Amino acid sequence: MFKITVTPQFANIDALKHVNNNTIGNWFELGRNDIFRFFDPALDLQNNEWELILVRTEIDFIGQIFYNHDVEIRTYVLHIGNTSFIIGNEAWQEGELKAKGKCVLVNYDFNKQEKKVLNEKIREQLREHLINESDIGKDI
């Protein structure tokens, strides 16, 4: 599991005085950077060799996130398929789960416009961060 801490910015706050729902998706994407590095360690988009495409994302909003406290974003792998994998994310503030989500990423060849099989090295890296779905939402 990867963990990062984000500090809500004033610009993230909406008229209801909590972090806007759209911000959570951005934070979850930020939390996926460590997994993106399995495919491109430098996260260099200039090399035209990016191999991932997002095909599905979902977020469940469990509680409000407020301005004055940092948020821990947790990122892990839930499932590894042949050409795709599922990533889970959680947002925690003050020891409470505030949002959780999943996304499906496909290993993709943009030049050929087709999905491709995950290689064994990447599979092993993903397996190191695989968690059981029963652990989702637990303060571990």
Side-chain angles (χ1 to χ4, degrees):
M1 177 183 304
F2 295 101
K3 296 179 181 181
I4 63 167
T5 301
V6 294
T7 301
Q9 299 175 339
F10 184 77
N12 301 139
I13 307 307
D14 62 20
L16 299 174
K17 301 180 184 168
H18 63 249
V19 172
N20 184 277
N21 295 344
N22 293 319
T23 300
I24 308 306
N26 291 333
W27 289 347
F28 284 177
E29 184 175 6
L30 182 63
R32 293 192 289 267
N33 277 346
D34 288 313
I35 291 176
F36 293 162
R37 284 187 174 87
F38 297 164
F39 295 83
D40 185 344
L43 298 181
D44 180 8
L45 298 179
Q46 302 303 313
N47 66 16
N48 294 322
E49 294 182 20
W50 191 256
E51 298 181 339
L52 294 173
I53 191 166
L54 180 72
V55 298
R56 179 176 171 78
T57 186
E58 62 184 66
I59 300 173
D60 295 324
F61 301 101
I62 298 163
Q64 297 176 74
I65 299 176
F66 296 99
Y67 176 67
N68 292 338
H69 305 282
D70 286 346
V71 177
E72 182 180 77
I73 303 298
R74 299 177 184 180
T75 305
Y76 42 81
V77 177
L78 291 169
H79 174 77
I80 305 166
N82 192 37
T83 60
S84 65
F85 56 100
I86 299 173
I87 293 178
N89 289 103
E90 298 174 359
W92 288 77
Q93 188 178 53
E94 299 283 280
E96 294 181 8
L97 179 64
K98 300 294 186 171
K100 64 181 179 176
K102 296 179 187 179
C103 74
V104 178
L105 289 165
V106 173
N107 195 27
Y108 197 76
D109 184 324
F110 284 90
N111 293 321
K112 295 180 181 177
Q113 293 291 297
E114 63 186 25
K115 58 187 175 181
K116 60 184 192 175
V117 174
L118 293 164
N119 69 45
E120 190 52 41
K121 178 183 175 190
I122 298 241
R123 286 177 177 286
E124 183 57 38
Q125 290 173 305
L126 292 170
R127 275 193 287 270
E128 290 176 18
H129 302 281
L130 190 63
I131 72 160
N132 190 322
E133 283 203 55
S134 64
D135 290 329
I136 294 173
K138 291 183 181 174
D139 194 6
I140 54 176

